[in-house]
Amino acid sequence: MATVTSSAAVPVVPKELLREPLVTNNRTPGWISDRVASLIEGRTPAWWWVAFIPSVLLAALLLGMLAYQISTGVGVWGNHHPTMWAWDIINFVWWIGIGHAGTLISAILFLLRQKWRTAVNRSAEAMTIFAVMCAGIYPAVHVGRVWFDWFLFPIPNSNAIWPQFRSPLMWDVFAVSTYFTVSLLFWYVGLIPDLAVMRDRAKTKIRQFLYGLFSLGWTGSNRHWSNYEKAYLILAGLSTPLVLSVHSIVSLDFAVSQLPGWHTTIFPPYFVAGAIFSGFGMVLTLLIPLRRWCHLEDIITMRHIDVMCKVTLATGSIVGYAYGMEFFIAWYSGSPYERFAFINRALGPYWWGYWIMIACNVVFPQLFWFKKIRHNLWIVFILSILVNIGMWFERFVIIVISLHREFLPSNWAYFKPSWVDIATYLGTFGLFFTLFLLFMRFLPMIAISEVKGVTPHADPHMPEGGAKGGHH
Amino acid sequence: MSKTIPPTCPEPATGRTYWRSLDQLSDTPEFREWLHREFPSGASEMTDPVTRRHFVKIMSASFALAGIGLGTTGCRKPVEKLEPFARQPEGYVHGVPQYFATAMPTRTGALPLVAKSHDGRPVKVEGNMLYPDGNGGTDRFAQASILDLYDPDRARRFTHHGNNVAREAVNDFLAGLAKSAAAARGAGLALLLEPGTSPSRARLRKLAAGLLPQARWFTHDPVDAGAHMAAATQMFGRSVRPVFRFDRAEVIVSLDADFLGTEEEVHHHIRRFAAKRRLEKPEDGMSRLYVIESLMTLTGANADHRLRIPSSVVGKAAAALAAAAGVNNVSAEGIPGDAAKWLAECANDLKAHAGRCLVVAGAGQSLAVHALAYAINSALGNVGTTLELLPAEVESDSLAELVADLKAGTVKTLVLLGGNPAYTAPADLDFAKVVAAARKNGTTVVRLGYYERDETTALCDWQLPAAHYLESWGDARTSDGTVVPVQPLIAPLFGGLTELEVIARLIGVQAAGAYEIVRETFASLVDGDVEGKWRKFLHDGFLAGSGHQPVAASLITSAVAKAVAAMKGEVAGNGKLEVVFRRDPKLDDGRFNNNGWMLELPDPITKITWDNAILVSRRTAAELGVANNDVVKVTVGGYSVEGPVWVQPGQADGTLGVTLGWGRSQTGRVGQGAGYNAYAIRTTAAPHLTVGATVTKTGRTHSLACTQEHWSMEGRPIIREANLEQYRQNPRFVDALKLHEPPQPKNAKEWPAPLYPNPFDEAKKSAFHQWGMSVDLNACVGCSACVLACQSENNIPIVGKDQVAKGREMHWLRLDRYYTTDKESFKPRDSGFYAAPVNRKQQFESWIDDVQVITQPMMCHHCEAAPCESVCPVNATAHDAEGLNVMAYNRCVGTRYCSNNCPYKVRRFNFFDYNKRPIDQLYKGPFGKRKDDEWDLIKMSKNPEVTVRMRGVMEKCTFCTQRIEAAKIAQKVKARASGDVVVPDGTFTTACAQACPAGAIVFGNLADPNSRVAKLKAQQRDYSVLEFLLTKPRLTYLARVRNPNPNMPDYYEAPMSLQEYEAKNHVQDALAPHGPADAKGAHH
């Protein structure tokens, strides 16, 4: 591009104040299209198959486990009296939590004009959708009689019995299904311009037809863009409260009960923070290898990683504060049952679960205070996995440790998972990765049109890069 | 419960008045003739014994003769479709259950019962409320016995050397046997019986004494329930049996006697004991129980003072007690200081209550201990007041003598009537080998057995299936001598014979039907209008006035001295181990070994299911280097057995506790592989107690399925207790243990109206019924009869050991049992901030050495503000206007949220299809199939008034809603236009309350202020568990009161549970009558 002569009126930004551009190495829009489309159009890389085949096998395992559980009974899991919920609900909440980052990135950061989101929002949203699908399996099949799940929906029926709207499980049904629907729509709307790009580049009939079908006749006209931007903004506005509501409502499953350790008003904000924490953990886990394998270092830059590490640090600290506050409230409540529940978390038979949670969620993320750590991809990758482990244990602590020892000591017992619990959980990973790998192979995993908008070239004032992409 | 006096039989013009047996029914020409007239078109079908029409006809005839059982061959299986009766019997309505009085014979008496029958199948047994010496309560065995009737593994065929034979062939064989026996005047004929009290059996024996004078009669009772009678007979010089009147005793001392748990007649003992423990107001008196024992038993659990010593030391303790109580010529030696002081003070208390106290020796204790107990009772003037003596019958010869005869070759024909001697015989008799040897020499063994698959069958030439008592005509005497009928509710399902029938055939009595025999016996017992009295006998279930009158007898001091002199010196302790054999609280001597309810019932103390364990104290376990679940080998007297160890809190050091009845090598599908066989180390010389055992580790483990993993109540005021003194000073002591509640406005009697008022609060004001329950923890001894009654009434499935180990047992009603310890041993870590130990570490903690035991029946509390209801997303559990928390199984999806939110955790979830699948195939899902024969019997055993739940639904106690509805309907029908639809108090009750021998559970209508339950709830001891949650439960408890003696060395100012509470909550004197109102808040 031609260099614009700088006039005397334009102050020259000192080099040290210039922000790192969002797309590095001065890549052109054409390069971006080619790079992203090549992931779909090029030969299937070997690593893809290496990841895909085990994922499909695990997904098949999931199907087998679900068939076994549904045909035989919930007893194939380790759930028992008094731990009536265990891995089923732990994994539900865990996957739902992971599903938080995507919509947060695409909606809230969009509204807040955080331009760096463009590089990661597409894959984060895909992650959200697949995670919510994995999550949704659990509440649907964990019940004793799956074939009567429809009792939970307000369907007019001959019995004239309605669901019980006082139950938080009922609210869950609405919260999760709404979240999934809106997230899916949001993702799809964002995909339309890029699907059109793929359609235009397609060389085979099938691709032309399918991309053409789903790009809904996109021509890139000004009117299309104008409508698109409006729709996108509205959906972002709709999604934003959902990000906060869905996990708040999931937390009410616990907070509404009267069990010591569950009956806590701090749960909604604490769950949302935890969900964002785990969601960003998962985004980092996915993108750090992918940017390398797909050669996307110029689009998903170290700056992106750095920012996401900071979000993780912030939310991890909020979660840590919540853990401390729970103890304070338990002591302050004066209820010996409440106090016992929390002491039992830290020192009871499952003390190890509690301390894994503290270590992974509160202690290790503090390393993100250091820039060196944030820029060491290996450490970031390991820490992001630890965050995911820690958040799984957070749900384990809340659900299993609270249930296994509550009011009457005669009911106290020790929960152990069965092999079916473990296999089902592994199976959900299979489903998740199968879907994700298919997504990155057939859909543009970077929002091409949006990324182009944040390149230095798109900024007529700063074609060499500069403040563009910084905060406004 | 209503019972109808049988209407007079509409007699056919010709033919018999009653059919009494199969043969008569099917083959007599009169019957056929009558049948042709009655059912001309279908009469020919009568020749086919299995058609449905046949069944229906027989049913109609059967009900016409309501009260009189019939032998038929038709009703083997449930009938799918019932046709209307050709002639509807008067007063019979399909679907409306009928009740018949009968009795369950026991070793030393009988339990008068009322059995409920649904369209010809008995589904539930209950105690006979009309019987004067009872309250309708039963014991565990009676409740579980009905399941044995429908046991798919019971003997179903007649066999000769293992091959099927026709019943006729057996009849011919018995007739031949009778002929040859008569010719030999009974020589060579030996009969081995179980102990029993049947007057008919006694009459047949008398007949036999004339006809077959040389036949020998033997009795074998593995648990030796007759020990009390044998001892009393020796000590008093005449044939008497003692009756312990705990209801008259103010001080009771048990010398290793588990009279509330594993001895005979516990339902009487519990009722009488509870009568003297029940309190209405603080001024009331209650009895005091001292227990000297080695194992922790239910009796020890209810003790006010308990001395923990090995069973072999009890003799010395008894001597010391006797010496201190004023029995002459007894020396007290070898008792250490603490125990000596204990015994001296105990004796002082006895002396202070002379004539109003009672000393009981355990059935498993030596004759010397029995002698000392009778001597103390005699010295203190208790004989005739708290200890009654009734005339008794002489026992037969023992098994040991039979073995001697067999060895001598004098037995040509051995007839085994009931029991399983090959399994239960002492190891040194080597019964199986002796019988096998005798058979080689030509002895024929005939056996009437309830199971074909057991240890004794292999020894028999002829195997005859025995009838269940609910299929039999018979009679019995209760422990006070009253004659009761054993009346069949159903024709023998597999054509079994009764003991009376076999004896009658053997001695060649002409009228060999059990009915005729019993009727004839009855006729000999009454004068005048035999027919009328017979009808009343069958209707009422007992013969009034037939009980024995107490006899006067004086102690023979020389017999006491002789018995005491024979006392053995060897005792356990200092590394020496003793083995104490006990009747199992669930399996008895092994007869309930294939009874799933019994196997799954948690042991009342250990809470172990599906196994017996070798019980040891913590210290003994440490010395042996073993822990729970370690399999050890116990060797004593050359015999050894292997079993898992269980550390039992409160057990004496040096004692190995074993229970009989487990570890069968041959048994049915359910009992297979459960427990170890303690008979293997039991000898004739020392059947109950033997010193000098050695224990070796095997290195293996066997995990025991225990339903309560945590032992301590952790200082939580769940079960509230006080001493009698504390109760008198602060009658509302239960309130002092409340957790802080939300602040209540000053001077306000009522709470301010809640933001969201409970819609049922309004309904409550105008409702006819508001159901509620009260459980008196002072009366409840923890016997567990209620658990089985609930299981039987509510079709609760068994789930198997594996599932119990996973915490998935289905009992709607459970008995929580906690061990408590004193302030010093209970060490709370800093300010309540501590975690309770890991469950498996409890066994190593020193506080468990000396514990108090408390039990609490726990079932659905029917909270007015039920936490389960608000969280169910599908409205499957909801409240009704009468205060019941109801459960719609059909609506339940199974989210299990209700269970999570239930603070009492009384909801049970069907993790598998426990009803549909066999317990060993639960994990096979749809591939797990029950056999058809199992299905048929399982279906028959179910109560048709209660839904059989499928997998995936939550279930729980309903307060027996089916009984509530039935009572309401009956009352409505009765009320007609009068509008008096309120069910009168006492008309009906729940299954648990009905079965409770202590009368601890009371259910009724709270809307009626005069109902028993309303009055109990108005008592000052009334409290609800976890009341601070404001769930407002309809089930409340009456706090327990203990009555310790301040002079005792182990006196405690507060019950241990209260001490734990004080230690945990840093409270001094929690029950101080005044002041805690302000101080209370500070504790928490």
Side-chain angles (χ1 to χ4, degrees):
Chain A
M1 251 191 187
T3 318
V4 179
T5 325
S6 52
S7 76
V10 180
V12 177
V13 183
K15 191 85 179 153
E16 61 270 23
L17 286 187
L18 281 176
R19 290 210 167 198
E20 195 191 338
L22 285 169
V23 177
T24 52
N25 284 337
N26 218 0
R27 297 295 190 185
T28 62
W31 180 88
I32 292 169
S33 294
D34 287 345
R35 180 73 244 138
V36 176
S38 73
L39 299 173
I40 300 165
E41 292 163 348
R43 263 179 64 92
T44 309
W47 66 261
W48 193 89
W49 284 113
V50 170
F52 186 71
I53 290 169
S55 296
V56 170
L57 292 177
L58 278 179
L61 178 70
L62 174 69
L63 283 182
M65 287 302 107
L66 294 181
Y68 181 43
Q69 192 267 113
I70 291 168
S71 65
T72 305
V74 181
V76 300
W77 288 343
N79 301 41
H80 67 159
H81 185 99
T83 322
M84 286 286 178
W85 288 350
W87 279 44
D88 45 351
I89 301 299
I90 294 173
N91 295 337
F92 161 64
V93 181
W94 188 77
W95 277 116
I96 279 277
I98 285 171
H100 261 65
T103 312
L104 177 101
I105 289 171
S106 39
I108 296 185
L109 297 189
F110 177 78
L111 294 182
L112 296 178
R113 304 256 182 267
Q114 294 292 317
K115 302 249 162 171
W116 61 271
R117 72 178 262 286
T118 53
V120 292
N121 80 325
R122 173 71 44 75
S123 49
E125 280 177 61
M127 179 194 84
T128 289
I129 287 158
F130 303 145
V132 173
M133 286 164 78
C134 291
I137 290 170
Y138 279 105
V141 304
H142 93 119
V143 299
R145 303 197 297 170
V146 180
W147 48 98
F148 288 129
D149 270 350
W150 59 273
F151 285 177
L152 272 86
F153 295 96
I155 300 167
N157 59 66
S158 58
N159 296 333
I161 304 174
W162 286 88
Q164 225 247 91
F165 293 100
R166 287 185 298 168
S167 169
L169 293 187
M170 200 59 242
W171 312 339
D172 252 8
V173 170
F174 296 116
V176 174
S177 55
T178 312
Y179 183 67
F180 179 74
T181 314
V182 173
S183 298
L184 188 68
L185 270 177
F186 195 33
W187 181 61
Y188 177 60
V189 168
L191 263 171
I192 290 171
D194 291 356
L195 289 173
V197 172
M198 296 315 298
R199 173 198 63 198
D200 297 344
R201 294 170 65 103
K203 297 206 172 63
T204 65
K205 286 267 175 215
I206 297 172
R207 285 190 173 212
Q208 274 172 357
F209 175 74
L210 286 175
Y211 286 124
L213 184 70
F214 286 108
S215 59
L216 304 177
W218 179 269
T219 60
S221 72
N222 202 10
R223 205 161 124 217
H224 277 179
W225 274 112
S226 162
N227 287 342
Y228 168 83
E229 295 277 4
K230 269 185 216 150
Y232 200 77
L233 186 68
I234 289 168
L235 280 170
L238 279 177
S239 306
T240 300
L242 289 178
V243 174
L244 303 177
S245 74
V246 67
H247 225 60
S248 297
I249 283 174
V250 168
S251 81
L252 294 183
D253 286 352
F254 308 104
V256 163
S257 82
Q258 56 171 350
L259 200 69
W262 283 17
H263 184 61
T264 319
T265 47
I266 201 175
F267 265 12
Y270 150 36
F271 265 54
V272 171
I276 295 166
F277 178 60
S278 69
F280 272 93
M282 194 57 141
V283 172
L284 283 170
T285 311
L286 289 175
L287 290 186
I288 289 173
L290 278 181
R291 71 190 277 276
R292 173 81 180 276
W293 292 339
C294 303
H295 309 292
L296 295 169
E297 287 95 336
D298 290 340
I299 299 174
I300 304 170
T301 65
M302 283 315 289
R303 186 172 153 205
H304 288 100
I305 307 283
D306 188 82
V307 170
M308 287 193 280
C309 286
K310 284 176 182 167
V311 175
T312 312
L313 171 62
T315 46
S317 301
I318 295 173
V319 167
Y321 168 79
Y323 296 156
M325 189 48 76
E326 277 189 317
F327 267 80
F328 170 74
I329 297 286
W331 170 77
Y332 192 64
S333 73
S335 164
Y337 298 93
E338 200 73 30
R339 289 181 184 187
F340 175 82
F342 284 90
I343 295 302
N344 186 52
R345 282 186 181 178
L347 304 173
Y350 287 113
W351 59 271
W352 46 269
Y354 182 79
W355 293 109
I356 290 176
M357 172 189 89
I358 291 289
C360 294
N361 289 355
V362 185
V363 179
F364 292 130
Q366 299 305 317
L367 293 173
F368 285 141
W369 284 104
F370 305 103
K371 193 171 181 181
K372 267 194 180 159
I373 302 262
R374 295 200 300 270
H375 283 252
N376 183 327
L377 287 179
W378 276 108
I379 295 184
V380 172
F381 182 67
I382 290 167
L383 284 177
S384 75
I385 287 177
L386 287 180
V387 164
N388 286 314
I389 293 172
M391 284 309 291
W392 191 90
F393 272 98
E394 179 191 299
R395 280 65 178 243
F396 178 84
V397 167
I398 292 170
I399 294 169
V400 170
I401 304 190
S402 301
L403 280 172
H404 92 123
R405 285 185 158 185
E406 27 83 295
F407 294 104
L408 306 189
S410 64
N411 294 314
W412 292 4
Y414 193 82
F415 163 82
K416 283 181 197 145
S418 76
W419 66 272
V420 184
D421 275 315
I422 298 166
T424 309
Y425 181 46
L426 290 178
T428 56
F429 279 99
L431 177 67
F432 178 81
F433 283 112
T434 304
L435 292 170
F436 197 85
L437 289 165
L438 287 172
F439 152 74
M440 60 160 295
R441 191 71 191 110
F442 292 102
L443 291 171
M445 66 172 281
I446 303 284
I448 303 172
S449 52
E450 288 195 43
V451 171
K452 283 177 187 167
V454 297
T455 52
H457 307 274
D459 184 356
H461 305 296
M462 284 287 190
E464 299 298 327
K468 184 80 188 177
H471 65 88
H472 297 263
Chain B
M1 155 190 357
S2 72
K3 290 189 293 178
T4 33
I5 295 192
T8 359
C9 172
E11 229 171 289
T14 60
R16 310 179 70 96
T17 313
Y18 309 114
W19 307 296
R20 284 143 211 168
S21 72
L22 170 78
D23 310 28
Q24 286 170 342
L25 175 63
S26 52
D27 283 321
T28 53
E30 292 94 330
F31 178 76
R32 291 191 169 196
E33 194 188 334
W34 172 76
L35 201 71
H36 268 284
R37 263 201 304 284
E38 193 61 34
F39 310 106
S41 59
S44 55
E45 288 189 48
M46 286 303 295
T47 48
D48 180 355
V50 291
T51 62
R52 177 168 46 74
R53 289 184 63 84
H54 173 78
F55 176 82
V56 175
K57 282 166 199 157
I58 300 305
M59 288 285 288
S60 75
S62 161
F63 287 114
L65 304 170
I68 297 181
L70 280 173
T72 80
T73 50
C75 47
R76 292 290 176 274
K77 289 180 182 177
V79 177
E80 282 146 21
K81 199 168 74 182
L82 279 174
E83 290 183 347
F85 287 106
R87 181 179 57 185
Q88 174 90 359
E90 202 180 327
Y92 179 76
V93 185
H94 264 311
V96 175
Q98 292 186 307
Y99 297 87
F100 297 97
T102 183
M104 172 170 147
T106 64
R107 296 177 178 84
T108 60
L111 243 120
L113 299 175
V114 172
K116 179 174 162 187
S117 168
H118 260 288
D119 287 341
R121 353 173 239 117
V123 291
K124 176 85 176 61
V125 294
E126 303 195 332
N128 186 346
M129 302 279 273
L130 292 180
Y131 181 70
D133 189 27
N135 60 354
T138 52
D139 62 8
R140 293 180 293 273
F141 303 117
Q143 289 298 334
S145 64
I146 196 161
L147 189 65
D148 278 348
L149 172 66
Y150 300 109
D151 188 343
D153 295 323
R154 57 183 285 201
R156 302 167 172 220
R157 53 183 196 148
F158 293 84
T159 63
H160 179 47
H161 292 138
N163 303 318
N164 284 6
V165 287
R167 190 191 169 100
E168 290 68 34
V170 173
N171 286 345
D172 292 348
F173 164 71
L174 289 175
L177 204 58
K179 223 177 244 173
S180 56
R185 305 212 15 97
L189 178 64
L191 294 97
L192 181 65
L193 309 168
E194 290 186 291
T197 58
S198 162
S200 291
R201 193 170 96 176
R203 187 175 65 85
L204 289 180
R205 274 190 67 172
K206 274 201 193 109
L207 276 177
L211 297 166
L212 311 170
Q214 293 184 43
R216 290 205 66 184
W217 299 72
F218 303 92
T219 311
H220 174 50
D221 177 12
V223 302
D224 211 358
H228 292 290
M229 189 172 94
T233 301
Q234 286 195 37
M235 294 308 129
F236 291 97
R238 59 182 290 184
S239 189
V240 286
R241 60 183 307 168
V243 174
F244 306 115
R245 300 303 302 246
F246 298 106
D247 50 340
R248 296 178 187 159
E250 281 165 29
V251 174
I252 302 160
V253 178
S254 151
L255 299 169
D256 209 14
D258 184 15
F259 60 85
L260 297 177
T262 52
E263 298 228 344
E264 277 288 304
E265 308 292 334
V266 284
H267 60 290
H268 282 314
H269 294 162
I270 292 171
R271 174 171 51 84
R272 291 177 182 148
F273 177 72
K276 204 70 181 154
R277 301 288 286 188
R278 205 171 275 123
L279 296 170
E280 275 179 26
K281 35 190 200 306
E283 308 84 67
D284 290 350
M286 63 186 282
S287 66
R288 179 176 292 147
L289 172 62
Y290 296 87
V291 176
I292 303 167
E293 66 178 6
S294 56
L295 307 179
M296 178 53 93
T297 66
L298 275 180
T299 312
N302 286 284
D304 295 303
H305 291 282
R306 181 171 178 271
L307 184 61
R308 180 169 71 93
I309 53 171
S311 284
S312 51
V313 185
V314 169
K316 286 183 177 172
L321 189 71
V327 175
N328 297 325
N329 303 327
V330 179
S331 65
E333 282 169 1
I335 293 291
D338 290 357
K341 172 109 194 336
W342 195 100
L343 291 164
E345 287 299 342
C346 177
N348 284 340
D349 206 12
L350 280 174
K351 280 195 281 188
H353 294 87
R356 291 169 292 138
C357 59
L358 179 59
V359 182
V360 189
Q365 276 292 340
S366 63
L367 185 65
V369 176
H370 284 269
L372 287 164
Y374 289 125
I376 298 171
N377 285 324
S378 180
L380 296 176
N382 298 335
V383 180
T385 57
T386 55
L387 178 72
E388 286 182 341
L389 299 170
L390 299 181
E393 309 251 343
V394 198
E395 288 271 318
S396 316
D397 296 328
S398 72
L399 185 68
E401 289 162 272
L402 169 63
V403 168
D405 274 13
L406 284 167
K407 281 182 178 162
T410 58
V411 179
K412 284 276 162 297
T413 310
L414 173 61
V415 183
L416 306 172
L417 295 169
N420 185 8
Y423 166 71
T424 58
D428 58 332
L429 290 185
D430 228 346
F431 185 76
K433 268 196 191 151
V434 171
V435 174
R439 282 178 70 202
K440 267 189 195 151
N441 296 328
T443 304
T444 308
V445 183
V446 185
R447 191 225 185 169
L448 178 71
Y450 198 73
Y451 289 100
E452 196 187 326
R453 210 177 129 74
D454 68 6
E455 292 82 351
T456 308
T457 301
L459 308 178
C460 304
D461 299 286
W462 293 83
Q463 162 86 24
L464 284 45
H468 191 268
Y469 76 89
L470 290 169
E471 303 168 329
S472 317
W473 273 110
D475 51 13
R477 281 184 187 274
T478 60
S479 51
D480 71 352
T482 306
V483 179
V484 291
V486 177
Q487 198 174 183
L489 272 284
I490 189 166
L493 289 170
F494 303 107
L497 291 170
T498 65
E499 183 189 56
L500 292 179
E501 285 167 330
V502 176
I503 296 176
R505 281 171 200 274
L506 277 177
I507 60 178
V509 175
Q510 285 308 305
Y515 173 77
E516 284 93 344
I517 298 167
V518 174
R519 176 72 198 256
E520 207 166 302
T521 310
F522 182 81
S524 71
L525 291 171
V526 295
D527 314 315
D529 175 19
V530 175
E531 179 59 31
K533 286 182 179 171
W534 172 250
R535 281 187 178 283
K536 188 165 166 51
F537 176 61
L538 294 185
H539 170 263
D540 292 353
F542 62 95
L543 179 61
S546 57
H548 296 307
Q549 289 306 310
V551 293
S554 52
L555 193 74
I556 302 169
T557 39
S558 61
V560 175
K562 198 177 143 202
V564 173
M567 191 152 69
K568 276 186 204 147
E570 203 181 13
V571 295
N574 294 331
K576 235 183 206 174
L577 297 172
E578 62 173 15
V579 181
V580 176
F581 298 89
R582 278 286 153 87
R583 175 195 194 188
D584 192 80
K586 305 186 291 172
L587 303 194
D588 198 330
D589 56 4
R591 65 186 62 193
F592 289 102
N593 191 287
N594 202 44
N595 186 309
W597 294 349
M598 279 302 203
L599 288 162
E600 195 150 303
L601 177 73
D603 180 287
I605 294 290
T606 65
K607 298 289 162 195
I608 294 173
T609 62
W610 291 92
D611 267 307
N612 58 342
I614 294 170
L615 303 175
V616 293
S617 75
R618 177 192 65 93
R619 207 165 286 164
T620 308
E623 281 164 13
L624 297 170
V626 293
N628 283 355
N629 300 334
D630 284 355
V631 176
V632 296
K633 184 173 182 179
V634 177
T635 311
V636 59
Y639 299 97
S640 62
V641 71
E642 289 181 3
V645 162
W646 187 258
V647 175
Q648 174 58 45
Q651 182 162 327
D653 300 323
T655 300
L656 305 173
V658 301
T659 59
L660 304 169
W662 296 81
R664 298 270 300 272
S665 59
Q666 288 286 316
T667 185
R669 282 166 264 193
V670 184
Q672 198 66 258
Y676 66 91
N677 179 9
Y679 284 111
I681 55 170
R682 201 171 181 235
T683 56
T684 330
H688 304 295
L689 170 63
T690 171
V691 183
T694 55
V695 172
T696 46
K697 289 191 263 186
T698 62
R700 285 179 285 118
T701 58
H702 175 86
S703 64
L704 296 164
C706 176
T707 58
Q708 191 177 340
E709 294 178 18
H710 200 78
W711 293 350
S712 168
M713 205 160 64
E714 298 299 337
R716 299 176 175 191
I718 296 162
I719 299 178
R720 296 183 188 173
E721 288 187 289
N723 282 350
L724 191 56
E725 272 315 300
Q726 292 174 306
Y727 171 49
R728 285 178 177 160
Q729 281 169 18
N730 184 2
R732 283 224 59 107
F733 70 90
V734 290
D735 288 349
L737 303 178
K738 275 186 181 174
L739 193 64
H740 63 280
E741 281 178 12
Q744 194 167 357
K746 271 191 184 159
N747 307 323
K749 285 225 162 144
E750 290 276 316
W751 285 82
L755 200 51
Y756 301 104
N758 186 336
F760 290 108
D761 286 347
E762 274 309 302
K764 212 165 135 181
K765 290 174 192 160
S766 56
F768 292 120
H769 304 108
Q770 289 296 315
W771 304 111
M773 185 181 273
S774 172
V775 177
D776 189 347
L777 296 176
N778 225 27
C780 171
V781 301
C783 75
S784 307
C786 51
V787 180
L788 289 167
C790 177
Q791 187 150 27
S792 175
E793 171 76 14
N794 291 303
N795 297 336
I796 296 172
I798 57 160
V799 300
K801 181 181 170 184
D802 165 68
Q803 293 293 298
V804 174
K806 288 193 165 82
R808 294 172 180 168
E809 70 277 4
M810 296 302 293
H811 296 137
W812 288 0
L813 163 56
R814 63 171 196 262
L815 277 165
D816 287 349
R817 180 270 300 118
Y818 298 103
Y819 301 120
T820 59
T821 183
D822 58 9
K823 247 179 220 173
E824 277 69 45
S825 315
F826 186 82
K827 288 198 183 64
R829 282 62 150 195
D830 195 25
S831 81
F833 263 85
Y834 87 105
V838 177
N839 298 338
R840 72 187 138 76
K841 288 190 179 159
Q842 298 165 131
Q843 52 174 314
F844 307 118
E845 295 181 1
S846 60
W847 68 266
I848 65 168
D849 288 350
D850 281 293
V851 292
Q852 284 181 350
V853 180
I854 40 181
T855 53
Q856 181 180 40
M858 185 56 73
M859 59 285 224
C860 178
H861 277 48
H862 291 269
C863 309
E864 289 181 10
C868 52
E869 291 169 12
S870 59
V871 298
C872 174
V874 294
N875 270 325
T877 185
H879 228 67
D880 80 0
E882 298 186 344
L884 296 179
N885 169 244
V886 290
M887 186 71 218
Y889 302 122
N890 272 348
R891 180 72 182 168
C892 181
V893 187
T895 66
R896 309 188 289 288
Y897 197 176
C898 52
S899 170
N900 288 342
N901 209 25
C902 172
Y904 313 101
K905 290 280 174 289
V906 287
R907 293 176 152 264
R908 311 301 311 191
F909 183 67
N910 286 274
F911 281 95
F912 288 109
D913 249 334
Y914 295 120
N915 276 302
K916 203 167 171 185
R917 317 262 174 246
I919 51 175
D920 55 345
Q921 295 179 31
L922 295 171
Y923 286 88
K924 287 190 182 169
F927 301 106
K929 288 264 190 314
R930 268 198 205 282
K931 285 187 181 151
D932 284 347
D933 62 330
E934 263 182 65
W935 259 129
D936 290 340
L937 287 164
I938 285 168
K939 284 183 203 158
M940 287 180 83
S941 69
K942 299 291 183 194
N943 180 358
E945 291 173 344
V946 178
T947 315
V948 175
R949 282 80 56 185
M950 74 173 300
R951 82 169 150 96
V953 301
M954 197 52 92
E955 58 185 64
K956 63 158 193 90
C957 159
T958 63
F959 272 175
C960 287
T961 184
Q962 67 281 5
R963 293 185 176 215
I964 296 176
E965 290 309 313
K968 276 161 63 184
I969 292 166
Q971 184 61 30
K972 275 181 190 159
V973 169
K974 213 163 121 190
R976 304 226 172 177
S978 75
D980 182 20
V981 295
V982 178
V983 179
D985 194 38
T987 314
F988 77 104
T989 191
T990 58
C992 54
Q994 205 288 327
C996 180
I1001 306 176
V1002 174
F1003 173 79
N1005 183 5
L1006 299 175
D1008 170 10
N1010 294 318
S1011 66
R1012 270 178 73 214
V1013 66
K1015 285 187 172 157
L1016 288 172
K1017 280 178 187 268
Q1019 276 195 26
Q1020 290 163 313
R1021 286 184 296 135
D1022 179 75
Y1023 77 96
S1024 49
V1025 178
L1026 304 173
E1027 72 282 288
F1028 70 97
L1029 293 172
L1030 297 178
T1031 53
K1032 299 183 192 162
R1034 282 286 173 88
L1035 165 62
T1036 58
Y1037 296 87
L1038 292 176
R1040 184 168 165 170
V1041 176
R1042 287 178 182 263
N1043 186 15
N1045 176 359
N1047 300 324
M1048 293 292 286
D1050 62 348
Y1051 174 72
Y1052 40 92
E1053 279 184 8
M1056 289 181 179
S1057 61
L1058 194 58
Q1059 295 188 35
E1060 280 187 0
Y1061 173 82
E1062 289 172 351
K1064 182 79 181 269
N1065 294 286
H1066 303 280
V1067 190
Q1068 298 291 325
D1069 202 6
L1071 303 191
H1074 302 294
D1078 300 321
K1080 220 179 359 172
H1083 309 145
H1084 301 293

